[in-house]
Amino acid sequence: MSTHESHTATDAPPIRIGMVGHAFMGAAHSHAWRTAPRFFDLPLVPMLSVLAGRDSVRVAAAARRLGWAGTETDWRALVERDDVDLVDICTPGDTHAEIAIAALLAGKHVLCEKPLANSVAEAEEMAEVAAEAATRGVFAMCGYSYRRTPALALARNMVRDGKLGTIRQVRAQYLQDWLSDENAPLTWRMDKAKSGSGALGDIGAHSIDAAQFVTGQSITGVSAIMETFTKERPVGGDFVGLGGSGAAGADVERGPVTVDDAVIFSARFDGGPIGVFEASRAALGRKNAMRLEVNGSRGSIAFDFEDMNYLNYYDGGSGADPDSLGFRRINVTEAHHPYTGNWWPVGHGLGYEHGFTHQVVDLLTAVGAGTQPTPSFSDALQVQRVLAAVEHSAGKDSRWTSVDGREGQKQ
C-alpha cells in the first residue's frame, strides 16, 4: 500500500470528536484529527463534529479554518451533545478537571492536554473518575505528545531491549527563549491561577514524562530551585505565537507574573538512576530545545527536538571497535522505525505536528480495541506529583522532597 493513500478502512465506524479550545493546541490537535486517518489504518474514523470556544465570532472563524462542522460557546453544551463520542480538552489547566470529569461521567472518551491539572488533588480526582469510567469501556488519555516523536519512541525501545545496559544517569533540558524580553506581554501562561506553574508545568512536565517514558522508571524524589526573572509584564501588546511584544515605558500598565521563568532540579528514579532536569522560557537562542540524554552501563542515547529526526547512540558494549568508538547518528526515518513507515520515503523527515497525529493513532487504536491508552490519567497523575514535589522543594530552600510530598533523606 502506498504511504500516500488513505489507510483507514472505508467501513470503519466513525468516532465523533468535540474539542474545547482552538488556540495553539487546538490547531495542532485539529490537524492531527484530520490527518491521522489519511495515513494510518485506524479502527475508528474521527469526525470533527463540534468546536467550543467562549467567543461566538472567534470560534466560528476557527471552526471554518480548522475543519469543524459545528460550534458551541459553552463546553457544557458540547459535553451533553449526542453527536460527540470523545472530548478533546485544549484549554488552560484550571479548566481541565471540571471538563474531563463531566465528559467521563457523560460517557465520553477524553483526551486532555498536559499537564493533567493544576494540582495533585485535581489530578487525583480525575484519575479516580477515569479509572471508574474505564470499567465501563470509557477511556481517558493525557496528551504528552513528545512520546510519539519517532526518535524518542526508538530510544525507549532501545532501553527496553537492554542496549544501554543498567541505566545510571538521566539529564533532561527543555529550553525556550520567548520570555527573554522583559516586555513580552502578560498572557494566561504567566498566571498561576490559570496555568498552575510556568516553565515547570508548561515544558518541564514534558521532560519529566519523556524521561520516565524512555527509562521505564518513575521519579521518586527531587531537590529544586525556581526563579522568576521578570516579575511584571505589560498587560497588552502584540501577541504573536506563545508571546509577542508589549509596549515599553514607565507609563505602560504592567501586571504581576505569578509563575516561574526557569527551574532546575535533581532527581532519583525508583530503579536507581539519578537525574538532572532544567526548564527555561528565558534561554536566549533556544527555541524548542527539548533534550534528553540517558547513560547506561553499556551505552548512551541523546536526543534534541531541534534536530528531531535523529537519535544519537553510543555503543559501549564489549564488542565495540575501540578504533571507532563515538556517538552514532541514527536518522530515524526508516520504514521499520516507530510510526515512520506510514509517512514519507526514508530521509524526508517529520515535524512537530506529526507527534499529535501519532497521538491520535495510538488513542483510537486503543479505544477501538477496548484497551486503556497511555499515558493514562494515572500516569499523568504521577507527573503531577513530581511537579508538586519540585515546587515544594524550591519553596523550602531546595530540601529533598519525596514525590509523595515528604521531606527527608534521599532514599
Side-chain angles (χ1 to χ4, degrees), residues 119-120 200 208 219-226 263-267 381-407:
S119 70
V120 170
L200 173 61
I208 293 165
I219 295 171
T220 58
V222 299
S223 173
I225 56 173
M226 299 170 70
V263 57
I264 300 172
F265 66 94
S266 57
L381 167 59
Q382 204 279 334
V383 175
Q384 198 78 44
R385 286 177 171 148
V386 176
L387 297 176
V390 168
E391 195 161 7
H392 181 86
S393 172
K396 297 287 186 178
D397 297 322
S398 306
R399 293 181 197 170
W400 185 261
T401 302
S402 296
V403 169
D404 63 9
R406 292 182 290 112
E407 297 175 14

Side-chain angles (χ1 to χ4, degrees), residues 146 172-178 180 199 203-204 207 261-264 277-291 304-306:
Y146 284 108
Q173 294 178 313
Y174 201 147
L175 309 176
Q176 298 177 337
D177 70 355
W178 60 279
S180 297
I203 55 180
S207 292
D261 285 328
V263 57
I264 300 172
F277 291 74
E278 179 183 6
S280 175
R281 300 190 296 198
L284 266 173
R286 301 301 179 191
K287 304 306 177 182
N288 201 46
M290 189 273 197
R291 301 164 169 173
D304 186 339
F305 192 79
E306 290 188 340

